[in-house]
Amino acid sequence: LERLARLLRDWDAERRRAAAPPRPGPAEFEIRVARLQLPDTGRPPLLTEFVALDTAMLTAIHLLAGETSVERALIVVAELTPLLDLARSELLDVDDELGDVFRHPGATLAHLDQVAREWSDLLAGRSDEDEPRLRTRLPLDLAAALLFLHDAHEQRSDHEHGWLRVRDRAVEAITTGRLADAPVAVDGRAALEETRSVALTLAGHWLDELRGERESRSAALRPRVIDACSRCLVTAWAQRRIGHDR
């Protein structure tokens, strides 16, 4: 029980920073219940304990996350929609200043790295640019670059399905974490680091695939891509909300 309590305290702290993993779905419960029902002949007791603790953890998270009203979710969707439009515009518009980077995966990866550096400098207080605008715009540009990269890898030309999943994940993070009451708690640096990590993982897998050294793992990486993009979207939402509160 003490171990479970520690895990739940960590999860509660993460959800209030918009850094917690998504609420577990029915399939995750089914997998763990099936593992618990397997005969324990020859199975180490420690493994049984781990599966039981993992199942209890997911059950507790599901209960603690609570229910989200339709009204509250619609309010959040309305607040996120203009930010999604801004992020999508980078992929749709031919931008001479950016050199049309969102047509070439390699150029997009380089652009992602540049945006990440600018955001890192901003968070560290090393930027002289228009901070309020950049604090909203840079996370959106980062999300757009990462989503484009993954869609290019999967040879998708329509990004709308991905953006809808990003939005839904962001709505869940905002409502589950009750972030409307404390947007300042959103951890932008954690979102930046996760996005960089996912982009590097995708690039590494892609290069290995091109060399014929492994099969595509793109589908398995998709949930991490959606989660990282949604965390960038939540960060942009929080910055805009903080700006409005001021």
Side-chain angles (χ1 to χ4, degrees):
L1 287 176
E2 290 179 0
R3 289 172 60 193
L4 178 59
R6 286 197 301 270
L7 291 171
L8 291 175
R9 280 195 295 269
D10 291 343
W11 172 82
D12 188 59
E14 287 187 342
R15 73 161 167 167
R16 297 184 188 282
R17 297 186 297 114
R23 185 196 312 245
E28 294 180 81
F29 285 108
E30 291 175 4
I31 290 173
R32 285 157 178 80
V33 170
R35 288 175 181 171
L36 285 173
Q37 292 175 338
L38 290 174
D40 58 4
T41 304
R43 183 169 61 186
L46 186 60
L47 180 58
T48 301
E49 181 182 336
F50 173 80
V51 174
L53 182 63
D54 192 33
T55 307
M57 173 75 174
L58 289 189
T59 304
I61 287 176
H62 186 74
L63 293 172
L64 291 172
E67 297 181 358
T68 300
S69 70
V70 175
E71 293 80 5
R72 180 61 237 168
L74 290 176
I75 291 172
V76 176
V77 168
E79 293 176 354
L80 291 175
T81 297
L83 296 172
L84 279 174
D85 291 341
L86 278 175
R88 281 194 294 243
S89 69
E90 288 287 11
L91 302 182
L92 298 175
D93 295 341
V94 176
D95 192 329
D96 293 335
E97 182 181 352
L98 295 179
D100 204 15
V101 296
F102 286 104
R103 293 185 187 275
H104 310 287
T108 306
L109 183 62
H111 175 62
L112 185 152
D113 183 65
Q114 178 60 35
V115 171
R117 289 174 182 271
E118 291 180 21
W119 191 8
S120 180
D121 287 344
L122 188 65
L123 292 173
R126 296 192 298 266
S127 176
D128 297 326
E129 301 289 339
D130 179 11
E131 288 196 15
R133 183 187 69 84
L134 287 180
R135 286 182 182 275
T136 298
R137 190 70 206 216
L138 291 178
L140 298 178
D141 291 352
L142 204 63
L146 180 58
L147 185 65
F148 174 87
L149 282 171
H150 195 267
D151 283 351
H153 182 256
E154 291 194 326
Q155 299 183 356
R156 299 177 185 228
S157 57
D158 180 8
H159 307 291
E160 286 306 300
H161 180 262
W163 282 125
L164 289 176
R165 290 190 61 194
V166 169
R167 182 204 64 188
D168 291 346
R169 176 71 184 99
V171 170
E172 179 194 14
I174 291 170
T175 53
T176 300
R178 304 187 186 102
L179 299 176
D181 298 327
V184 72
V186 173
D187 192 340
R189 184 164 294 283
L192 169 61
E193 291 174 354
E194 177 63 13
T195 305
R196 270 179 159 167
S197 174
V198 175
L200 184 60
T201 301
L202 174 60
H205 288 179
W206 201 342
L207 183 59
D208 288 344
E209 292 161 20
L210 291 176
R211 289 171 56 86
E213 296 175 355
R214 68 167 66 182
E215 296 181 357
S216 175
R217 297 184 180 180
S218 180
L221 193 60
R222 187 72 172 181
R224 283 192 65 193
V225 170
I226 297 300
D227 187 63
C229 290
S230 73
R231 289 170 69 173
C232 289
L233 179 60
V234 172
T235 301
W237 165 88
Q239 289 302 316
R240 174 162 288 191
R241 194 176 180 93
I242 292 168
H244 284 174
D245 289 344
R246 289 175 181 169

